[in-house]
Amino acid sequence: MARIRKGAGKAAPQFLEGDPSTGYLPGRKGPVIRYSLASLLAAAILVFAIELIVRGDFAGTVSFFLQPFKPGWTTIIIFALALVGLDAVLGRSHQSLMIVAPLTLALAFVGRQKSHYLGDPLYPADFLYSRQIVALMPLLVRDRPGTAIAMAAGIIGALSLLVYGWRLWRRRVPVLSRKGRLARLALTVPLLAFFVSIMDYATFSWTRDRLQIIPIMWDQKENYASNGFALAFALNVPMAQVSAPAGYSDKAIAAIDRPDVTATMPAEKPDIIVVMSESFWDPTKLPGVTITPDPIPNVRALRSGYMFSPEFGGMTANIEFEALTGFSNAFLPAGSIPYQQYVRAPTPSLATFLKSEGYRARAIHPGTNWFWNRGAVYADFGFNDFKSEETLPPMQKRGPLASDASMTDEIIREADASADPVFFFAVSLQNHGPYEPYRYYNPTHKVQAPISQWARESLLSYTEGSSDADRGLERLIEWAKKRDRPTVIAFFGDHLPPLGPVYVETGFLKDNVAPRKAPADQMLRDHQTPLIVWSNRTGPAEDMGAVSPAFLPYHILTTAGISHPYYTGFLGQMRERYRVVDRNLLLTPTGEAVPDWARQKNIDPAINNFRLLQYDMMFGKRRAAPDFFPETVDKFGPHTS
């Protein structure tokens, strides 16, 4: 007989395994087989749906599953085991689907959107900065109001159905017996633990190799395409732990050549102002596009070279990391964000050094101080203070965001008020994407191009912001020319703007975002932003070519007449060998490209020393500090990474 749950109101039947009316009889293989096949089928449908959402290509999704023993089939088995194990925890057959399906499908959707707008897959570390995604929602809503409304309605509808389905399932689906739940856990927990144990990409696994799960950590786009969304996502979990490079030891650090350079300052210390301009680029490089008048005449006249950005369309914090520390993202796990994951203790930077020489090290950003974890990171970098939206005076807006003009005003005001030499690191906000049409009510430029009206108006919005940034630079230069104190100004764009369809419609790119790996000339085209390093004593630096942000400290301090064992000594030696150090490309000063260098057996000893030195200061014993970063000795506590 069916057992009735006690309680007020209508009684609902509460079935147990062993109730003849359900077919779940102990000792019978039929129900077990049916349950197993149903779980396997549910897992297969769910994994297929996840891949279809992420890939956006039905044929490509089908081909992913066509051959046996591919990662897709392994993923299905893992999902089936997870569903069975979670059923045992919840106490109802197949109720786990109500948790696993919405969660994984939502992750797949977010992954698809990130790949579409930024060109990168979804990484576990992305959830460390989920607040940034929420903060950008107003801009996204303005850019795609119809999509935003549909998403909101979909979320509300899905949650309502989930709650209703959960309650209905609890009333009508059999309760698993204690014996059945223990049997499921005894089967699934060891197997799931085994799969977890082989997911560490840093160690070889014979089983993983036989299952054709090959971690491709140097090319994350291919990693996700080859292994599928779920497995590639899992493979990226261990990247929060950075392993020591091969050969790292006290002896290896001692063997690195010490440049014959000490920390020196000119008789009159110059003010140093670095402006990282959000998404600043030359939009006239788009094929078939004519913009009148020239949106960036000042940058064009003063340009020293190009910044080779390691990112495209976003991930500003990674460019900041290189520009302030002189370290390289090329030596960190692909997809990682040092500001979020690795800067958790005092870390050497330009601010650390200059503050030790009597400078007032200040950071300015008109956005919130938690964005990219800047508040905590700037403190670890040694800045005296960081003024953000919370502590800056009211900033005039241009469009929806704080204007470049108001940020320039604040830089000038603070520099003129300081008796001590100042080091400013300013990050603008005005020209942050997305670039919705008609962002500015009073455009001063005209865009002519054989593209859709939406794309043309979006490009006009971006052009207006770039022009404002150019005028901000002009104002800084004119102000500095009149100063008695020596002043060095560096200005550059952090990455190309996320213009999306504009790139496709003009023929600049095949997709909305640039590929991570491409021939050297294409990589330069897709990752270069204008760079100016200028002094009110000597004018603009010239013929710098394309340089990685990690070399920016070298160029700034050299222009300022300042020397340092690492920033001008070690980086100066590296600059003689390479001007671009990217995880997919090394570029020599003569333009010779070394693609896929990280996969080669014999890596240039100079690059290996660069990697060892960076690891030692970020994660290791900091044995290199006395010779390369003397300002940190006795000031930094024990490393806690």
Side-chain angles (χ1 to χ4, degrees):
M1 294 292 293
R3 297 185 181 179
I4 306 298
R5 185 174 56 194
K6 294 180 180 180
K10 293 183 179 181
Q14 192 79 358
F15 300 103
L16 286 170
E17 273 189 335
D19 189 330
S21 65
T22 68
Y24 283 75
L25 295 173
R28 289 192 177 182
K29 294 182 179 179
V32 174
I33 294 174
R34 285 197 295 271
Y35 172 79
S36 300
L37 290 177
S39 297
L40 195 61
L41 178 62
I45 294 173
L46 181 55
V47 173
F48 186 89
I50 290 169
E51 291 299 322
L52 181 61
I53 291 171
V54 172
R55 295 169 189 268
D57 176 12
F58 184 82
T61 303
V62 171
S63 66
F64 178 66
F65 294 95
L66 280 181
Q67 299 183 28
F69 308 115
K70 280 290 185 180
W73 297 98
T74 302
T75 307
I76 290 172
I77 294 172
I78 294 174
F79 266 64
L81 291 171
L83 292 174
V84 172
L86 192 53
D87 279 347
V89 174
L90 297 174
R92 295 289 197 286
S93 297
H94 306 303
Q95 192 165 23
S96 56
L97 274 171
M98 294 189 179
I99 296 176
V100 176
L103 178 62
T104 54
L105 292 173
L107 286 176
F109 176 78
V110 174
R112 173 65 179 171
Q113 297 310 306
K114 185 190 176 191
S115 178
H116 177 74
Y117 284 105
L118 295 179
D120 263 353
L122 184 71
Y123 303 116
D126 290 338
F127 294 97
L128 296 172
Y129 55 92
S130 56
R131 288 177 65 190
Q132 276 116 243
I133 299 174
V134 174
L136 290 176
M137 285 305 295
L139 287 175
L140 296 174
V141 170
R142 279 194 293 269
D143 188 38
R144 296 285 193 277
T147 302
I149 293 172
M151 285 177 58
I155 291 172
I156 294 172
L159 289 175
S160 301
L161 286 174
L162 186 61
V163 172
Y164 174 76
W166 183 274
R167 297 178 63 183
L168 186 66
W169 206 270
R170 299 293 291 184
R171 291 198 301 266
R172 298 190 177 184
V173 175
V175 174
L176 300 177
S177 68
R178 183 178 181 182
K179 183 178 179 181
R181 296 173 74 175
L182 289 175
R184 286 168 171 81
L185 290 174
L187 171 69
T188 59
V189 171
L191 289 174
L192 287 173
F194 167 73
F195 279 113
V196 169
S197 70
I198 67 172
M199 284 298 116
D200 184 0
Y201 68 84
T203 59
F204 175 77
S205 166
W206 183 90
T207 305
R208 189 178 64 213
D209 191 59
R210 297 288 78 77
L211 293 172
Q212 298 186 32
I213 302 170
I214 304 172
I216 311 174
M217 310 311 288
W218 58 89
D219 186 351
Q220 288 291 347
K221 190 171 184 179
E222 181 60 28
N223 189 31
Y224 277 70
S226 177
N227 292 311
F229 175 79
L231 285 185
F233 188 86
L235 286 167
N236 275 283
V237 170
M239 75 179 178
Q241 175 68 32
V242 180
S243 301
Y248 173 70
S249 65
D250 292 352
K251 185 177 180 180
I253 295 298
I256 298 175
D257 288 339
R258 270 56 176 171
D260 187 20
V261 176
T262 59
T264 62
M265 285 279 166
E268 188 176 7
K269 297 175 182 177
D271 283 349
I272 298 174
I273 299 170
V274 181
V275 177
M276 188 171 72
S277 186
E278 173 61 44
S279 297
F280 187 84
W281 181 61
D282 182 359
T284 66
K285 290 185 176 292
L286 292 167
V289 170
T290 301
I291 300 175
T292 53
D294 183 358
I296 58 168
N298 297 291
V299 168
R300 209 178 302 283
L302 297 171
R303 183 175 58 80
S304 303
Y306 292 96
M307 179 68 75
F308 181 92
S309 176
E311 304 293 345
F312 181 94
M315 307 297 282
T316 298
N318 283 355
I319 296 88
E320 279 188 44
F321 166 75
E322 291 200 16
L324 284 170
T325 63
F327 296 148
S328 175
N329 289 285
F331 307 134
L332 297 172
S336 61
I337 304 140
Y339 273 27
Q340 300 289 352
Q341 296 161 300
Y342 308 133
V343 182
R344 291 292 182 269
T347 302
S349 75
L350 273 179
T352 307
F353 164 56
L354 292 172
K355 186 169 73 170
S356 73
E357 294 290 341
Y359 276 74
R360 185 79 179 174
R362 322 190 77 162
I364 295 178
H365 175 57
T368 53
N369 65 359
W370 54 261
F371 206 85
W372 290 123
N373 199 33
R374 283 190 177 102
V377 169
Y378 286 163
D380 282 335
F381 280 175
F383 281 95
N384 294 98
D385 56 66
F386 169 37
K387 286 197 173 181
S388 60
E389 180 182 75
E390 294 83 356
T391 52
L392 284 166
M395 307 288 277
Q396 181 183 5
K397 290 188 176 182
R398 174 101 158 98
L401 301 171
S403 70
D404 282 0
S406 59
M407 187 185 77
T408 303
D409 288 343
E410 185 65 18
I411 293 172
I412 292 173
R413 186 186 69 79
E414 292 195 25
D416 282 342
S418 176
D420 297 324
V422 292
F423 166 57
F424 275 105
F425 185 76
V427 182
S428 72
L429 182 63
Q430 178 186 326
N431 214 21
H432 202 293
Y435 307 101
E436 67 277 12
Y438 312 109
R439 174 183 276 202
Y440 305 104
Y441 71 90
N442 57 344
T444 58
H445 294 77
K446 292 183 179 180
V447 174
Q448 294 178 314
I451 55 180
S452 67
Q453 182 177 352
W454 186 95
R456 191 164 52 251
E457 292 296 337
S458 175
L459 178 56
L460 178 59
S461 292
Y462 172 76
T463 298
E464 288 294 316
S466 295
S467 178
D468 286 349
D470 184 81
R471 283 193 288 270
L473 173 66
E474 179 186 30
R475 181 146 182 259
L476 276 178
I477 296 292
E478 293 304 315
W479 161 75
K481 285 179 179 178
K482 301 173 184 176
R483 304 189 79 205
D484 293 331
R485 177 179 289 177
T487 305
V488 173
I489 296 173
F491 177 97
F492 63 96
D494 51 352
H495 50 69
L496 267 69
L499 288 170
V502 174
Y503 291 129
V504 179
E505 292 190 31
T506 59
F508 185 80
L509 295 173
K510 292 182 179 179
D511 299 309
N512 286 344
V513 294
R516 286 283 180 180
K517 292 176 63 178
D521 57 346
Q522 185 178 341
M523 290 285 284
L524 289 170
R525 186 199 68 168
D526 297 344
H527 290 270
Q528 286 188 155
T529 65
L531 168 64
I532 293 93
V533 179
W534 178 91
S535 166
N536 64 353
R537 294 292 189 265
T538 59
E542 297 179 347
D543 302 324
M544 288 169 52
V547 299
S548 287
F551 292 118
L552 186 62
Y554 164 77
H555 290 288
I556 290 174
L557 295 186
T558 300
T559 302
I562 299 171
S563 66
H564 181 269
Y566 178 79
Y567 294 118
T568 62
F570 182 83
L571 288 182
Q573 291 179 349
M574 284 299 306
R575 180 69 177 82
E576 292 176 1
R577 298 181 67 88
Y578 300 103
R579 54 191 176 102
V580 169
V581 178
D582 179 74
R583 71 177 70 255
N584 294 311
L585 175 70
L586 294 178
L587 198 67
T588 69
T590 59
E592 181 182 353
V594 185
D596 288 334
W597 60 270
R599 300 181 62 187
Q600 297 177 6
K601 291 183 179 180
N602 297 318
I603 297 176
D604 185 344
I607 289 294
N608 194 50
N609 286 341
F610 195 178
R611 187 205 306 263
L612 290 170
L613 190 53
Q614 176 173 320
Y615 179 86
D616 183 63
M617 294 305 299
M618 288 188 66
F619 309 104
K621 300 177 182 179
R622 290 179 172 161
R623 300 296 191 194
D627 293 321
F628 291 96
F629 300 95
E631 68 276 5
T632 69
V633 177
D634 299 328
K635 295 182 180 179
F636 284 12
H639 207 289
T640 58
S641 294

